[in-house]
């Protein structure tokens, strides 16, 4: 179910069976959940899942690119990773920071070589955007942050690696079971 008011679209959290169809969201399945200490070459840019580092990336805002293998581990825990081209105009970067600041289970970082100026990724889901102001971004975050596609919903998005500018202080809910 979606509610449309002007240019704002709000989505409620649902099961995979009734997942809202946000225009442009790409879906990926069959993603490995194994741990590795080696670099991974992912088929998506940025990655949406697959083999990943044993430690998650602490959620929050980063000013520099982050290790994809750690970010993927955070996606497994329910994070949404918002990435942007390093040359994105400062005003758009501010828009993104304002969107994610103070909210749990979100990563924000520059990412060289993106296929679009802004890309939002969750476990098995990705949305390419031409601008930070695209209203679909808020809908993507609402649906997929700790969403029904999350393999380890409730596992922490803190206590891992990385030193974000603004950190996620959201307490975890539930266990942390790795394969």
């Amino acid at each position: 179910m979606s509610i449309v008011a002007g240019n704002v679209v709000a989505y409620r959290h649902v099961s995979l069976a009734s997942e809202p169809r946000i225009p442009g969201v790409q879906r990926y399945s069959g993603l490995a959940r194994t741990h590795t200490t080696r670099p991974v070459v992912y088929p998506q840019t940025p990655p949406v899942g697959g083999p990943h580092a044993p430690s998650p990336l602490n959620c929050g805002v980063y000013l520099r690119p982050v290790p994809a293998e750690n970010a993927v581990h955070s996606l497994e825990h329910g994070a949404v990773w918002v990435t942007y081209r390093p040359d994105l105009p400062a005003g758009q970067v501010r828009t993104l920071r304002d969107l994610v600041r103070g909210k749990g289970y979100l990563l924000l970082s520059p990412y060289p070589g993106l296929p679009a100026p802004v890309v939002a990724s969750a476990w098995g889901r990705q949305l390419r955007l031409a601008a930070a102001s695209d209203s679909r971004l808020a809908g993507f975050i609402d649906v997929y942050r700790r969403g029904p596609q999350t393999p380890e919903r409730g596992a922490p998005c803190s206590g891992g690696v990385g030193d974000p500018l603004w950190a996620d202080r959201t307490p975890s809910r539930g266990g942390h079971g790795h394969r």
Side-chain angles (χ1 to χ4, degrees):
M1 166 187 239
S2 64
I3 302 166
V4 179
N7 288 338
V8 178
V9 179
Y11 298 91
R12 64 179 174 83
H13 290 275
V14 294
S15 70
L16 279 176
S18 61
E19 179 181 335
R21 296 291 177 188
I22 300 171
V25 171
Q26 297 173 310
R27 291 163 178 76
Y28 303 91
S29 60
L31 301 168
R33 294 181 49 213
T34 55
H35 288 174
T36 183
T37 56
R38 297 175 181 241
V40 178
V41 176
Y42 292 101
Q44 302 87 23
T45 302
V48 298
H52 53 270
S55 295
L57 185 67
N58 293 323
C59 286
V61 174
Y62 291 84
L63 301 178
R64 294 193 174 123
V66 298
E69 293 83 2
N70 297 102
V72 168
H73 194 146
S74 296
L75 297 182
E76 183 184 42
H77 290 188
V80 167
W81 185 14
V82 179
T83 53
Y84 59 90
R85 289 181 180 159
D87 63 351
L88 192 70
Q92 289 196 50
V93 174
R94 270 192 304 279
T95 297
L96 294 173
R97 285 184 187 166
D98 290 346
L99 181 65
V100 305
R101 186 180 320 166
K103 296 178 184 161
Y105 286 81
L106 287 171
L107 292 165
L108 176 66
S109 73
Y111 195 103
L114 284 179
V118 177
V119 180
S121 303
W123 188 269
R125 306 293 186 271
Q126 190 167 81
L127 178 62
R128 297 175 180 180
L129 303 161
S133 59
D134 190 314
S135 63
R136 294 176 297 160
L137 179 55
F140 185 93
I141 290 169
D142 185 49
V143 170
Y144 297 115
R145 183 173 54 135
R146 290 175 147 180
Q149 82 297 338
T150 301
E152 293 183 12
R153 194 175 331 167
C157 202
S158 59
V161 301
D163 188 22
L165 184 62
W166 291 292
D168 179 358
R169 303 286 183 231
T170 305
S172 63
R173 290 183 278 165
H176 182 107
H178 284 98
R179 290 185 185 181

